[in-house]
């Protein structure tokens, strides 16, 4: 047994750097480049938006950022305070995931409206890279779990076996509780094997002797078929049968009674990998109580926070994809508005929160879609894509690594790059020997980043002992005139009379959406079947208006969130309680998730 090391702040207020507790037990799975986190840096978060009850004194939190950095940020205030974690991480399915979106209105021109597709993320990994990615994040999640906390990891056959071993190492074999099999059925084209129709959920706890498990919350109706020859076999205990008839039976670790989301019309968001609310509801009810803190660090379509919200739990969630943040914020805000208007005014015992804030970690201000941004950068520089471990492409005799473009390059990134060079040194060709006899390599490494920490160059020079030349290009200075995407355009009329504000959307145009629509129409032979936008409101997903914007946090008083078939109203009114100068902020999001934002100065 290794001695117990506690997580401590190194030079607490000065460095904002944390040590990480070493995991118990022997290493059970090895891969190239395996390395535990010795320490992580603290990343500040910036408040961007506010939704819900303005009188709320506490808030749930939705983070937009790399979840490794979000987890590092949370260590400062939430270490040992999270009661339940549910994660549905990438499955390494070797697939590109797209979100299907539809222009508003069931039909246009008498024809069904066509769907557009927007790339959300790619689930293509090298095995070693994927395992290290998950390992680092699970180490931090363990630090966040409370002593009575639980974690559920949702996966499938692609990497389930590997993840089970990593979970054993990080959380301890003794703290493994269940391997839950979620079964479903449906049509399939698989004819060379048994169709793969189940997912696996690994259930671990921080301490098996102190776990929360609400058995009565996860009972299911007891049926007659359970008797002799059923689930219990012959001779079932009469007392037990009586209990099951009165309370219901305890659900087993194979779940066949929960449908996947593609059969639940009311829940569908068209977001790839979306999970049904019933699945997450069972997990939250079983392993948390009202008022407990629930977390999901791969939030996707927002199922975990929306279920936690409905069940009176507090929640924290994050995702690197802005589309996920937008989808989650819209769903949760709708749920909160229904709660505020409905029973919450009567049921004061509700222990959840009726407001949430959106935060950025490490300044996500440039790109909406990380994958699209990387593709644009590689095309612009003429980088030849390669499929090999860690590196993204090859350019001018250099292996190229395109770093996440929504944050600055930091020293931890440099350490990771140097470690990958060391691990893959056999892929570099020796050009000559240095005077000291050390090899000098033919190929170098080019790092492309969007902004740098001030001392990155000095740190790289000091740390790089590989003999491989490493160069950094900062696109913020190297490509100043680069335009990554065309922003939507809008014409908005804002008027004030006495204390009454009126805001009217006159026009709205989204260049990216219209271009995608053109591409889709080119695939349709008959012109009468091609989609046409007859009203600009058909391409708008939502409108939010902050009538007293403070230039820091967007806090909307007016929200227009129509359902899939409805159009936005386009005309809005508000009455101020007192006179004075105000700033009105209008945020419009189109059906692709592209955002338009404009402010107006007014005198009431």
């Amino acid at each position: 047994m290794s001695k117990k090391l506690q997580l401590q702040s190194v030079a607490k207020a000065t460095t904002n750097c944390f040590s990480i507790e070493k995991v118990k037990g022997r290493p059970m799975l090895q891969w190239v480049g395996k390395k535990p986190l010795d320490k992580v840096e603290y990343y500040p978060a910036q408040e961007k938006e506010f939704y819900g009850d303005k009188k709320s004194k506490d808030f749930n939190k939705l983070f937009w950022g790399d979840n490794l950095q979000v987890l590092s940020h949370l260590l400062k205030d939430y270490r040992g305070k999270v009661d339940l974690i549910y994660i549905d991480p990438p499955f390494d399915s070797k697939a590109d995931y797209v979100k299907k979106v539809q222009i508003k209105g069931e039909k246009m021109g008498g024809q069904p409206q066509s769907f557009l597709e927007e790339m959300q993320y790619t689930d293509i990994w090298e095995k070693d890279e994927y395992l290290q990615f998950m390992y680092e994040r699970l180490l931090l999640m363990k630090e966040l779990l409370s002593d009575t906390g639980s974690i559920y990891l949702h996966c499938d056959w692609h990497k389930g076996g590997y993840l089970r071993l990593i979970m054993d190492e990080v959380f301890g074999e003794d703290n493994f509780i269940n391997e839950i099999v979620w079964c479903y059925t449906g049509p399939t084209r698989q004819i060379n094997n048994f169709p793969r129709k189940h997912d696996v959920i690994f259930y671990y706890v921080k301490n098996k002797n102190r776990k929360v498990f609400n058995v009565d919350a996860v009972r299911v109706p007891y049926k007659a078929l359970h008797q002799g020859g059923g689930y219990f076999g012959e001779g079932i205990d009469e007392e037990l049968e009586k209990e099951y008839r009165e309370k219901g039976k305890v659900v087993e670790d194979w779940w066949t009674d929960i449908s996947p989301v593609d059969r639940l019309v009311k829940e569908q968001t068209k977001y790839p990998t979306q999970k049904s609310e019933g699945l997450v509801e069972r997990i939250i009810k079983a392993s948390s109580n009202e008022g407990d803190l629930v977390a999901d660090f791969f939030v996707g379509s927002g199922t975990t926070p929306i279920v936690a919200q409905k069940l009176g739990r507090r929640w924290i969630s994050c995702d690197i994809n802005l589309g996920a943040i937008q989808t989650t914020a819209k769903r949760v805000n709708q749920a909160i508005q229904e709660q505020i208007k409905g029973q919450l005014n009567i049921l004061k015992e509700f222990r959840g929160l009726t407001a949430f804030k959106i935060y950025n970690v490490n300044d996500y201000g440039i790109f909406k879609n990380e994958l699209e941004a990387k593709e644009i950068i590689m095309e612009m520089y003429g980088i030849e894509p390669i499929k090999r471990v860690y590196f993204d492409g090859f350019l001018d005799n250099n292996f190229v690594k395109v770093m996440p473009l929504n944050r600055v390059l930091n020293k931890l990134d440099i350490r990771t790059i140097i470690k990958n060079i060391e691990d893959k040194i056999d892929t570099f060709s020796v050009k000559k020997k240095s005077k000291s006899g050390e090899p000098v390599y033919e190929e170098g490494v080019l790092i492309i980043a969007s902004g740098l920490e001030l001392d990155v160059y000095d740190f790289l020079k000091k740390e790089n002992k590989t003999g491989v030349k490493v160069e950094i290009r900062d696109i913020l200075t190297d490509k100043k005139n680069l335009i990554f995407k065309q922003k939507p355009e809008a014409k908005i009329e804002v008027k004030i009379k006495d204390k009454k504000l009126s805001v009217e959307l006159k026009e709205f145009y989204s260049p990216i959406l219209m271009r995608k629509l053109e591409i889709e129409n080119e695939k349709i032979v008959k012109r009468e079947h091609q989609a046409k936008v007859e009203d600009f409101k058909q391409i708008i997903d939502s409108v939010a208006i902050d009538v007293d914007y403070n230039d820091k946090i967007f806090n909307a008083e007016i929200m227009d969130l129509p359902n899939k078939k409805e159009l936005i109203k386009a005309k809005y009114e508000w009455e101020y309680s007192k006179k004075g100068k105000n700033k009105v902020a209008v945020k419009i999001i189109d059906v692709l998730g592209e955002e338009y934002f404009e402010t107006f100065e007014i005198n009431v």
Side-chain angles (χ1 to χ4, degrees), residues 12 90 108 130 150 158 252 255 275 294 382 407 433 470 510 532 557:
K12 296 180 181 176
M108 290 198 301
Y130 177 83
S150 304
H158 288 94
E252 283 98 345
W255 299 351
K275 299 301 183 291
V294 176
R407 63 174 177 80
K433 296 281 186 177
V470 180
S510 176
K532 299 180 181 67
E557 285 82 7

Side-chain angles (χ1 to χ4, degrees), residues 48 546 548-554 583 597 599 601:
K48 300 297 290 185
D546 185 344
D548 52 1
Y549 183 53
N550 63 4
D551 287 318
K552 294 180 180 180
I553 301 176
F554 184 79
K583 182 176 286 189
F597 188 84
T599 60
E601 302 279 354

Side-chain angles (χ1 to χ4, degrees), residues 266-290:
K266 290 183 179 180
E267 290 185 28
Q268 285 182 16
T269 65
K270 303 297 181 183
Y271 193 93
T273 73
Q274 181 183 355
K275 299 301 183 291
S276 59
E277 292 183 20
L279 180 74
V280 179
E281 180 179 329
R282 179 169 289 171
I283 291 169
I284 291 178
K285 283 184 174 180
S287 294
S288 71
N289 298 310
E290 289 187 27

